[in-house]
Amino acid sequence: MRLAELSERSGVPVPTIKYYLRERLLPPGRRVTATQAEYGPEHLRRLRLVRALLQVGRVPVAAAREVLAVAEDGDLDQHGKLGVALGALPQERPEVAEDDPAVVSATRVVTELTEALGWPPPGPAHPAAALHTLIAAVASLIRLGYPCELRHLLPYGRLAAELATHDLDVLEEYASATERLEAAVALTVLHEPVLLSLRRLGHGVESARRFGEG
Amino acid sequence: MRLAELSERSGVPVPTIKYYLRERLLPPGRRVTATQAEYGPEHLRRLRLVRALLQVGRVPVAAAREVLAVAEDGDLDQHGKLGVALGALPQERPEVAEDDPAVVSATRVVTELTEALGWPPPGPAHPAAALHTLIAAVASLIRLGYPCELRHLLPYGRLAAELATHDLDVLEEYASATERLEAAVALTVLHEPVLLSLRRLGHGVESARRFGEG
């Protein structure tokens, strides 16, 4: 299809598509004349992912480009690709001082937690940004004196592990490795607000059940 | 205790405490002389909550004041207080146009989901901001053509409900209603990065298990 049709079918305006092409968020089409190129279904799919990242996930252009470049890297196996792509997704990375006593305790609790979950010890299998964010968040809880022992965190870990299994099951429904990678990135980002809102709704329902006037 | 001791025991510098007092994030101490006031354990606890909101949760001062005001409102029952306090916590509220077909479908799926979970229909028991965010997030998934039927969302809903139950169990360990309210607000905010990082770590572990080279 030509650029105009790609725009119509994706709902993305032509100038925006041109911008994505310039920023290398979208691979170039196949040149057919000096001024025209032909686009395929892979461009439609990629546009969808770019919109998910930029508009919904608020991922900066440079980080999005890094995530997308992985899809085209022939040297990585599938797990490597997923790991690099998800690891490149930005997450807030609060400052962490390694000699801070709260950080030392947090690292210990997080190690206990991964052991209790039967996960490999923190290492290459774990996305580094996620591990960093987890330790920083647990350190905040400890510093503020909120309950943060293994028994408080374990239910979170168990449910996160169940969610991850469910997420990967959904991914496996995709036919090709590229589609799977694209869906992994999009669904990781798009499901985060779903999860947080559902938890807050659950608080409302459960609190009404326990403390409401019924 | 005097201001200096409050600062020392809380780890919050005196000028910061004075700022919190001016902004009515911290109730005034009991005047003992024209220039000195006496502070109690409730001030220590409140300072901890203010830090959780402002520094960790990045909640704006005005929203934090609104959340904290609820703790002192004698007219609300406990569920009402929890609801108002948690509802006042800022959440990203993406634009939602009610006649957008994706929003119409999203509202239908979310209603199916709350029914399937045995939750009351969307209404006063649900924090409005969370419901709004959920519908917007589901609408994004639908608009981008990602799988978003009841069977995809139900595992998220079930796990969120389990988490909410666990969270409320932890809250019930607090002795007084005020402490419980403070902990609810702090833990809602502080556990969100814990949950999201654990899910991303789970993706790494599960993907290594399925696609890794072993």
Side-chain angles (χ1 to χ4, degrees):
Chain A
M1 74 195 97
R2 296 300 157 83
L3 190 58
E5 191 187 339
L6 181 64
S7 164
E8 205 180 287
R9 289 182 53 185
S10 64
V12 180
V14 169
T16 308
I17 299 184
K18 287 187 171 166
Y19 168 72
Y20 292 164
L21 287 164
R22 276 199 308 278
E23 290 286 337
R24 286 173 293 123
L25 295 170
L26 193 66
R30 193 172 50 81
R31 282 257 153 257
V32 283
T33 72
T35 56
Q36 290 207 301
E38 183 71 20
Y39 300 90
E42 70 280 13
H43 289 92
L44 260 181
R45 245 186 18 236
R46 175 58 65 89
L47 269 180
R48 180 170 81 165
L49 173 60
V50 170
R51 277 164 72 212
L53 288 173
L54 265 52
Q55 288 172 24
V56 186
R58 312 256 173 102
V59 173
V61 168
R65 188 161 44 223
E66 197 183 326
V67 171
L68 296 168
V70 177
E72 276 124 42
D73 184 338
D75 282 348
L76 287 168
D77 68 3
Q78 177 144 32
H79 168 60
K81 282 192 181 183
L82 268 175
V84 176
L86 297 179
L89 281 178
Q91 237 191 346
E92 283 208 43
R93 278 183 93 124
E95 296 263 327
V96 157
E98 284 184 18
D99 56 350
D100 176 341
V103 172
V104 173
S105 305
T107 306
R108 200 183 51 234
V109 175
V110 167
T111 306
E112 280 174 29
L113 177 63
T114 52
E115 273 174 25
L117 292 169
W119 288 359
H126 296 284
L131 190 61
H132 179 102
T133 307
L134 177 60
I135 290 174
V138 172
S140 294
L141 282 161
I142 292 173
R143 216 175 280 125
L144 294 167
Y146 285 107
C148 199
E149 289 157 35
L150 182 59
R151 74 179 176 97
H152 299 105
L153 292 178
L154 197 52
Y156 275 81
R158 289 229 174 88
L159 297 176
E162 279 182 56
L163 267 186
T165 305
H166 164 73
D167 290 340
L168 277 269
D169 285 345
V170 171
L171 281 191
E172 296 229 43
E173 294 179 15
Y174 284 87
S176 77
T178 309
E179 281 173 279
R180 212 176 292 163
L181 181 78
E182 290 185 353
V185 169
L187 295 177
T188 294
V189 169
L190 295 172
H191 277 153
E192 293 191 342
V194 170
L195 180 56
L196 296 186
S197 333
L198 280 169
R199 172 169 171 259
R200 290 202 185 183
L201 288 174
H203 285 160
V205 172
E206 187 63 23
S207 140
R209 194 170 290 157
R210 296 191 191 196
F211 310 122
E213 313 207 348
Chain B
M1 74 195 97
R2 296 300 158 83
L3 190 58
E5 192 187 339
L6 181 65
S7 165
E8 206 180 287
R9 289 182 52 186
S10 64
V12 180
V14 169
T16 309
I17 297 183
K18 287 187 172 168
Y19 168 71
Y20 292 165
L21 286 164
R22 274 199 308 280
E23 290 287 337
R24 287 174 293 124
L25 295 170
L26 194 65
R30 194 171 50 81
R31 282 259 152 255
V32 283
T33 74
T35 56
Q36 290 205 304
E38 183 70 21
Y39 299 91
E42 71 279 15
H43 289 92
L44 260 181
R45 246 187 17 238
R46 175 59 64 89
L47 269 180
R48 181 170 81 163
L49 173 60
V50 170
R51 277 164 74 210
L53 288 173
L54 266 53
Q55 288 173 25
V56 186
R58 311 256 173 99
V59 173
V61 167
R65 188 161 44 223
E66 197 183 327
V67 171
L68 296 169
V70 176
E72 274 124 45
D73 185 338
D75 282 349
L76 286 169
D77 68 3
Q78 177 144 33
H79 169 61
K81 282 191 181 185
L82 266 175
V84 176
L86 296 179
L89 281 177
Q91 234 192 348
E92 283 209 43
R93 279 184 94 125
E95 295 263 329
V96 157
E98 284 184 18
D99 56 349
D100 175 341
V103 171
V104 173
S105 306
T107 307
R108 200 183 52 234
V109 176
V110 167
T111 306
E112 281 173 29
L113 177 63
T114 52
E115 273 173 25
L117 291 169
W119 288 359
H126 297 284
L131 190 62
H132 179 103
T133 306
L134 177 60
I135 290 174
V138 172
S140 293
L141 283 162
I142 292 173
R143 214 175 281 126
L144 294 167
Y146 285 108
C148 198
E149 289 157 36
L150 182 59
R151 74 179 177 96
H152 299 105
L153 292 178
L154 197 52
Y156 275 81
R158 289 228 173 89
L159 296 176
E162 280 182 53
L163 267 187
T165 305
H166 164 72
D167 289 341
L168 276 270
D169 286 345
V170 171
L171 281 192
E172 298 230 39
E173 294 179 16
Y174 284 87
S176 77
T178 309
E179 281 173 279
R180 212 176 291 162
L181 181 79
E182 291 185 352
V185 170
L187 295 177
T188 294
V189 169
L190 295 172
H191 277 152
E192 294 192 343
V194 170
L195 181 55
L196 296 185
S197 332
L198 279 169
R199 172 169 171 259
R200 290 202 184 184
L201 288 174
H203 285 160
V205 172
E206 188 63 23
S207 142
R209 194 171 288 157
R210 296 191 192 196
F211 309 123
E213 311 206 349

